Amino acid sequence: DQAGEALRSAEQIAPGDPRIMQQLAYVASESGDTEGAIAAYEGLVEADPANTENWLTLAGLYADMGAMDKSAAAYEKVVELDPEGAPQVFYNLGALLMNKPDRTDDDSRRAVDAFRQAVKLDPNYRDAHKQLAFALLGIGDRAGAKSELETCVALAPDAADSAQMK
């Protein structure tokens, strides 16, 4: 609490100082103040819009608060900034959508699209193929799911879960 108070005072003296905002974000996260952490990370991405770590953290915080559209937009920003890491970002986006407590059919279709994008960008991304299969099952595409599970097994036939995937 004292650290938060001191940092808020410092922020009034030096508004927008990224070092202070980073510490505010840390203190808020550690104390369970998700709203405070979001506010700090929003300030950080405004101050340094090219920092993918801050965008990723913000995406996760938005998801924790149930702001899935904001979370997806933050993930998309990461893809824009880091195309090499894009398969992982699309995988995370698909997982985020599939794990929504009040997931709709539209969310499931968006998850399928996200996982498809991940495997398009990285055809050897086994976990993305596996999760795509489960998402396809969720929308009733059994043939598509079977194909993805076959790809999953082919990529790592000796993996611990390959027998289950077969």
Side-chain angles (χ1 to χ4, degrees):
D1 289 341
Q2 290 175 343
E5 289 175 31
L7 288 166
R8 283 186 288 282
S9 294
E11 185 182 35
Q12 289 177 356
I13 295 168
D17 183 320
R19 294 171 299 173
I20 295 170
M21 287 188 288
Q22 192 73 45
Q23 290 300 313
L24 273 169
Y26 174 78
V27 168
S29 294
E30 288 296 307
S31 65
D33 177 11
T34 305
E35 289 179 13
I38 286 173
Y41 276 104
E42 285 174 341
L44 283 167
V45 298
E46 186 177 317
D48 183 6
N51 186 313
T52 58
E53 291 298 319
N54 289 336
W55 280 107
L56 280 171
T57 302
L58 187 57
L61 290 167
Y62 282 144
D64 290 346
M65 292 294 291
M68 298 309 188
D69 289 340
K70 286 184 174 183
S71 179
Y75 276 121
E76 288 170 12
K77 184 66 175 178
V78 173
V79 171
E80 176 186 319
L81 294 170
D82 181 16
E84 297 248 339
Q88 178 69 46
V89 172
F90 280 110
Y91 175 89
N92 290 346
L93 179 57
L96 172 76
L97 291 163
M98 290 302 292
N99 291 322
K100 279 178 74 170
D102 56 348
R103 183 178 71 227
T104 64
D105 289 341
D106 187 49
D107 292 329
S108 295
R109 284 187 290 278
R110 287 177 49 213
V112 166
D113 290 342
F115 289 130
R116 278 190 175 137
Q117 189 65 31
V119 299
K120 178 182 174 187
L121 294 169
D122 182 357
N124 295 320
Y125 194 167
R126 183 180 186 274
D127 285 341
H129 284 284
K130 181 170 136 180
Q131 293 307 316
L132 175 55
F134 295 140
L136 288 167
L137 280 174
I139 63 168
D141 183 355
R142 294 176 56 88
K146 180 181 180 218
S147 175
E148 291 302 322
L149 288 174
E150 288 169 347
T151 300
C152 181
V153 171
L155 286 170
D158 296 328
D161 64 350
S162 283
Q164 180 185 11
M165 296 303 113
K166 286 180 188 178

